[in-house]
Amino acid sequence: MSSAAKFGTVVLATSLGIVVAWNVSHRSGTMPARGRAPVVAPAISPSAGKNIQTVASAVTDSIYPNPDASARDEELLALARKAVADFPLRAIDWARSQPDALLQRRLLSAVIQAWGEKDPATAIDWVLRQDDDERRLDMEAALDGAAQQPELALAIVRQLLVNDPSDPDGYGPSLIAALINAKQFEVILQFLNNGASPESRADWMAATFNRWGQTQPQQAIKALASLTDESLRASAFHSVMDGWSQDDPGALAAYGATLSPGADRDYAVKQALNNWSLQDPAAMATWLNQQPEGTEFDEAVALIISKTDSANCPPATAMSWVEGIGDSTLKLQSFMHVLDEWNQTDPMAAQQYAANVSWLDTQSRQKIIEGLKNPPPVIAASSD
């Protein structure tokens, strides 16, 4: 058989300790040298009536085009998948042959990711043989691809951690990040419960449940039941609430209202209202009007009032919320916030309102009205 027609399956015992089958279709019979541009010599019959060199060039251009530096990551990954399907090491050389340094790095990461999707064990074994200064970025790319086969990716990283539990190259965090991006949360939880070091488990658990709460909050809440360590469960619950509040605070508020009184309910409602008051105060106000009065209502109203002004909430409307607050301290704080805002736009109306508030005693009312008539001077910011 000539060197131009070598095909077969090479079985490699990788440095991971995992035996993998590598399907080889490298027609040149030699491995491309690092840094050398790829050479493709496809077996094409001249009977097709076309010049062999022209056809070979066209095939090369279609598999290994010269991407533009402005290409998006998704576009580079699509190109990389086609190149890796031909032969991964040629695709590596193709990426390294790019004259633009930033494009070269981006395309190389795309190729390694595509390789990781196709053949995780071989791609990661290749990464382990690279220079120290490249290995971390390359491993992140390989694991991003390997996350498409999460169980295999998990097995590979577990073996790496067995070989070196100190994990100096950060394989554990890279795997967690890759699986989070692939939304493989159940696999991450499996790894955290059976493989992650106790020193790292809490931080990785927090990052995982935060993203899980953002994208799949109901599933994340169900998964909390599998955590037997109460301190871990409490931390993970907070992470779910934090993530959920970023994406859908209204739904989180509704969920929090269903919980029994206690620390979990307090935290869920607080996080929901904190973000909701910033994202959509009008929707939050509508929800508040449907809630029974009490501590949660008081805190929620005080919160939304503290984050609004007369430009996005008419003072009369804000004062109607203030009147519903039962806690005297929160009520006075909220009242003064609205009154100060009102006094800047319509001092006569603000002072008239303060003069007629029934729940203020005479001394407090007079002091407040005097402060409205003589507000402290605004100190201009220094230009230095």
Side-chain angles (χ1 to χ4, degrees), residues 187-219:
V187 177
I188 300 174
L189 192 56
Q190 179 185 344
F191 171 64
L192 294 176
N193 288 331
N194 302 283
S197 66
E199 298 78 15
S200 305
R201 185 176 294 119
D203 289 341
W204 294 352
M205 192 83 74
T208 299
F209 274 96
N210 182 282
R211 185 67 174 276
W212 207 346
Q214 271 187 278
T215 59
Q216 301 171 354
Q218 298 298 338
Q219 293 89 325

Side-chain angles (χ1 to χ4, degrees), residues 120-177:
T122 308
I124 291 173
D125 185 67
W126 178 87
V127 168
L128 292 172
R129 302 173 190 278
Q130 303 313 297
D131 297 337
D132 291 344
D133 57 345
E134 292 186 10
R135 190 181 303 129
R136 183 178 290 272
L137 283 176
D138 291 347
M139 182 61 76
E140 290 175 359
L143 287 173
D144 279 340
Q148 301 302 313
Q149 301 182 51
E151 296 292 346
L152 180 54
L154 182 59
I156 291 171
V157 171
R158 276 180 172 162
Q159 184 61 52
L160 288 171
L161 295 178
V162 167
N163 295 340
D164 190 349
S166 65
D167 194 16
D169 292 310
Y171 303 135
S174 295
L175 174 67
I176 296 295

